Amino acid sequence: MADQSNWRSKTITGGVARSPNRAMLRAVGFKDGDFDKPIIGVANGHSTLNPCNAGIQPLVDRAIAALETAGAKPQMFGVPTITDGIGMGTEAMKYSLVSREVIADAIETSVNGQAMDGALVVGGCDKNMPGGMMAIARMNVPAIYVYAGTIKPGKWKGVDLTIVSAFEAVGAFSAGKMSKEDFVGIEKNACPSVGACGGMYTANTMSSSFEALGMSLLGSSQMASPDAEKADSAAASAKVLVNAVRKNLRPRKIITRKSIENAVALIMATGGSTNAVLHFLAIAAAAQVKWTIDDFERVRRRVPVLCDLKPSGRYVAVDFHRAGGVPQVLKILLANGLLHGDCMTITGKTMAEELRSIPAVPAKNQDVIRPFNNPLYKQGHLAILKGNLATEGCVAKITGLKNPVITGPARVFDSEPDAMKAILAKKIKAGDVVVIRYEGPKGGPGMQEMLAPTSALIGQGLGESVGLLTDGRFSGGTWGMVVGHVAPEAFVGGTIALVKNGDSITIDAHKRLIQLNVSQKEIAARRKKWKQPKPRYTRGLLAKYTKLVSTASLGAITDHDD
């Protein structure tokens, strides 16, 4: 990647040859003294379409004011966003993971295309964070990530609600286990403010991991979006960024193998989303850092789950923040030899220096964050399973289950909508293993999240007794006996494409095994008869994505070497 500071000096400074560039910049507010200031691109993910991003503009305004006060010249540009909660269970959901690539490309295009000296990226919904960080890693100009903040919990009859409450209510209501009054009450009260989904779902997982990565300010990721401290944090982030620009502190000095390990350790300790596996594979690839799917399993084995957070736990993000949040968990990990304290952060200080004032044990007047000697689980929750059904690996969330082992008959569906119809019609019984295929990176395309079917199963009381595996993804709000990111996917002839109704399937998280209990001879015979289906899309963005996207075991990325 070419040196951005050299690009800028050739573009907007210097004599007569560059006067047209100056003239155009004067039209957007540049004055004589501004041409010597660092130009900071402010990637603005504000959108009125979803609560995750609807509170961003005030944060951007504060950041821009702080950039100007610090002696920089901010220039704002828009970044698209797709919200999973609205698209979930519909054809629109296929654009969700695709939007991660679009966001990364959009930020790269704006920052590199206008030769900016730094980037302040502000986003709120699930794919905003990884898409923004992929761009930051690719461009390698000084940058910082500002998270839009979490939503506050809703309330219905004294119970805290999140968006997942509404999805689970669908299953409970359809099973006759919930009154219409409660069903409607939950829907109307689940989302009371702006901000991203309030548990340790994908948005809060990625934002918190960026603190551990060193690319966001410590303590900033679990603040509620409407609260004043969130805007204050955006302003503080802007000041830190200007200092990083002046010191030429670039992302690839911060995003390293060790700092990614810190981020993954934080994800395990907080019970974060399965999607973090895809996203950190993608971020590592963008930063040209060696990191594989097996590295997640390596970290999982040694890092305990310390936080009692939704979806499988009791508390939401604002509770986590009040209890000490990410800095507290990082300090516990550091004090117990599970964090690389020598990693650089965007402030110019090491992680250990940033955590110096944080106590090594959590406060006793809370039970959101557990002490190291009394974890919720002794090992992490995101297990990488392998077997003849997923030779490249797949991801299972194994916490919150009494026994993460099941062997049962396959109930096979070639799309999420078909599976959902069967679940709502009560055709799935305890002991079944639901297989949802042709929803992978290429087959979907875009790896739809399966929150609707998994929530419906939980609402019907089948979360512990029914297995579900897919070459698609799961929402960060999903829990239960679920296995996603099965690779190779069905569309390219992975074994998941060869499963028949009634076949015996074993999911065993203890052995990290996912197995189709059919002879190799039978599997080979089925493979000879299998034919690849035609792509579901032949034109437009989804068709382009189908042609370019990698396997899930490499992060489902479109920017790769092969």
Side-chain angles (χ1 to χ4, degrees):
M1 186 69 70
D3 188 293
Q4 290 292 91
S5 60
N6 288 342
W7 289 12
R8 191 184 83 82
S9 65
K10 294 174 183 176
T11 303
I12 68 168
T13 62
V16 176
R18 295 300 174 187
S19 60
N21 307 84
R22 288 174 175 258
M24 294 189 74
L25 289 169
R26 289 184 191 278
V28 293
F30 276 66
K31 297 180 173 55
D32 287 345
D34 294 333
F35 294 101
D36 295 322
K37 297 176 180 178
I39 295 180
I40 306 297
V42 179
N44 184 356
H46 178 79
S47 169
T48 59
L49 185 61
N50 65 74
C52 316
N53 292 58
I56 286 179
Q57 192 59 49
L59 309 184
V60 168
D61 293 341
R62 282 291 302 279
I64 286 175
L67 288 168
E68 290 173 339
T69 300
K73 191 63 179 173
Q75 295 293 286
M76 182 180 69
F77 58 90
V79 177
T81 186
I82 298 294
T83 185
D84 298 359
I86 294 173
M88 200 76 70
T90 73
E91 198 74 359
M93 187 62 199
K94 294 183 178 181
Y95 283 88
S96 171
L97 186 60
V98 177
S99 77
R100 184 190 71 179
E101 310 301 300
V102 174
I103 290 164
D105 292 348
I107 294 171
E108 179 189 349
T109 299
S110 294
V111 173
N112 282 359
Q114 297 299 296
M116 297 172 182
D117 294 301
L120 186 144
V121 183
V122 191
C125 204
D126 292 9
K127 307 310 172 294
N128 297 179
M129 274 71 71
M133 195 58 65
M134 289 160 64
I136 286 169
R138 276 190 213 164
M139 300 181 304
N140 200 32
V141 299
I144 195 167
Y145 202 96
V146 176
Y147 179 47
T150 185
I151 199 170
K152 293 185 176 182
K155 291 278 188 181
W156 177 247
K157 295 184 176 179
V159 176
D160 280 352
L161 302 177
T162 69
I163 185 59
V164 176
S165 307
F167 280 93
E168 291 181 358
V170 172
F173 183 65
S174 69
K177 296 182 177 183
M178 178 178 288
S179 69
K180 186 174 182 180
E181 177 195 9
D182 288 337
F183 180 68
V184 173
I186 289 171
E187 181 264 312
K188 288 185 175 180
N189 292 280
C191 297
S193 73
V194 295
C197 300
M200 191 49 68
Y201 310 146
T202 303
N204 283 327
T205 295
M206 295 309 298
S207 65
S208 60
S209 70
F210 286 178
E211 290 188 42
L213 189 65
M215 292 300 300
S216 290
L217 295 189
L218 284 182
S220 66
S221 70
Q222 306 297 291
M223 296 173 177
S225 185
D227 289 353
E229 65 175 353
K230 185 69 253 189
D232 292 342
S233 175
S237 298
K239 294 176 182 177
V240 166
L241 175 58
V242 174
N243 188 53
V245 171
R246 288 174 176 151
K247 291 184 175 181
N248 196 28
L249 178 54
R250 300 189 179 218
R252 292 193 194 178
K253 294 180 181 178
I254 300 169
I255 305 173
T256 65
R257 181 172 171 83
K258 289 167 71 174
S259 72
I260 290 175
E261 189 167 299
N262 284 350
V264 174
L266 187 281
I267 291 164
M268 296 295 177
T270 55
S273 168
T274 53
N275 286 306
V277 175
L278 277 180
H279 297 330
F280 268 98
L281 286 168
I283 291 166
Q288 297 183 353
V289 171
K290 184 180 179 181
W291 188 267
T292 72
I293 192 169
D294 294 321
D295 285 313
F296 292 93
E297 179 62 28
R298 176 176 56 82
V299 176
R300 182 194 74 82
R301 291 181 184 180
R302 62 191 188 88
V303 177
V305 179
L306 298 173
C307 300
D308 190 2
L309 298 169
K310 290 180 181 293
S312 57
R314 294 177 292 166
Y315 295 105
V316 295
V318 292
D319 300 320
F320 181 42
H321 183 57
R322 282 192 293 266
V326 173
Q328 179 63 81
V329 175
L330 290 176
K331 185 59 177 278
I332 295 171
L333 295 177
L334 179 66
N336 289 277
L338 296 175
L339 197 77
H340 299 290
D342 58 341
C343 288
M344 181 57 64
T345 74
I346 188 61
T347 65
K349 297 179 181 179
T350 66
M351 182 60 71
E353 289 171 334
E354 285 289 327
L355 295 170
R356 186 167 291 161
S357 64
I358 306 297
V361 294
K364 293 182 179 180
N365 62 349
Q366 57 80 42
D367 58 354
V368 183
I369 304 172
R370 306 279 283 269
F372 189 80
N373 61 3
N374 185 30
L376 208 61
Y377 304 97
K378 292 182 179 180
Q379 291 183 320
H381 64 300
L382 299 181
I384 305 301
L385 312 187
K386 290 187 177 182
N388 66 1
L389 261 174
T391 55
E392 294 177 13
C394 56
V395 184
K397 184 184 283 188
I398 61 175
T399 53
L401 298 172
K402 295 175 183 176
N403 182 27
V405 178
I406 188 171
T407 294
R411 300 296 308 278
V412 183
F413 303 93
D414 286 347
S415 71
E416 182 198 19
D418 288 348
M420 190 65 180
K421 289 177 185 176
I423 293 167
L424 292 180
K426 301 181 184 178
K427 294 181 179 180
I428 304 302
K429 308 299 181 184
D432 287 345
V433 178
V434 176
V435 178
I436 305 177
R437 64 190 181 190
Y438 294 104
E439 293 289 7
K442 291 181 178 293
M447 299 184 77
Q448 292 193 85
E449 290 185 351
M450 306 296 162
L451 181 60
T454 57
S455 295
L457 287 171
I458 289 168
Q460 291 180 9
L462 297 173
E464 294 269 6
S465 58
V466 168
L468 190 152
L469 65 92
T470 179
D471 51 8
R473 299 182 295 126
F474 294 111
S475 164
T478 295
W479 70 276
M481 180 67 75
V482 297
V483 180
H485 313 185
V486 169
E489 63 175 294
F491 186 79
V492 301
T495 305
I496 190 173
L498 311 178
V499 181
K500 293 184 178 180
N501 274 311
D503 284 347
S504 172
I505 289 177
T506 294
I507 302 170
D508 190 332
H510 295 313
K511 296 180 179 179
R512 296 189 296 112
L513 176 69
I514 181 166
Q515 188 79 14
L516 175 63
N517 300 313
V518 172
S519 71
Q520 291 184 0
K521 183 178 179 180
E522 173 63 17
I523 291 173
R526 293 182 190 182
R527 193 177 300 283
K528 286 183 180 180
K529 295 179 181 179
W530 178 83
K531 292 182 180 180
Q532 185 178 62
K534 293 180 180 180
R536 286 172 170 163
Y537 294 84
T538 58
R539 298 294 298 273
L541 177 61
L542 294 183
K544 186 190 303 182
Y545 182 86
T546 300
K547 293 175 182 177
L548 293 175
V549 69
S550 77
T551 179
S553 64
L554 296 178
I557 55 176
T558 56
D559 181 25
H560 52 88
D561 295 329
D562 52 330

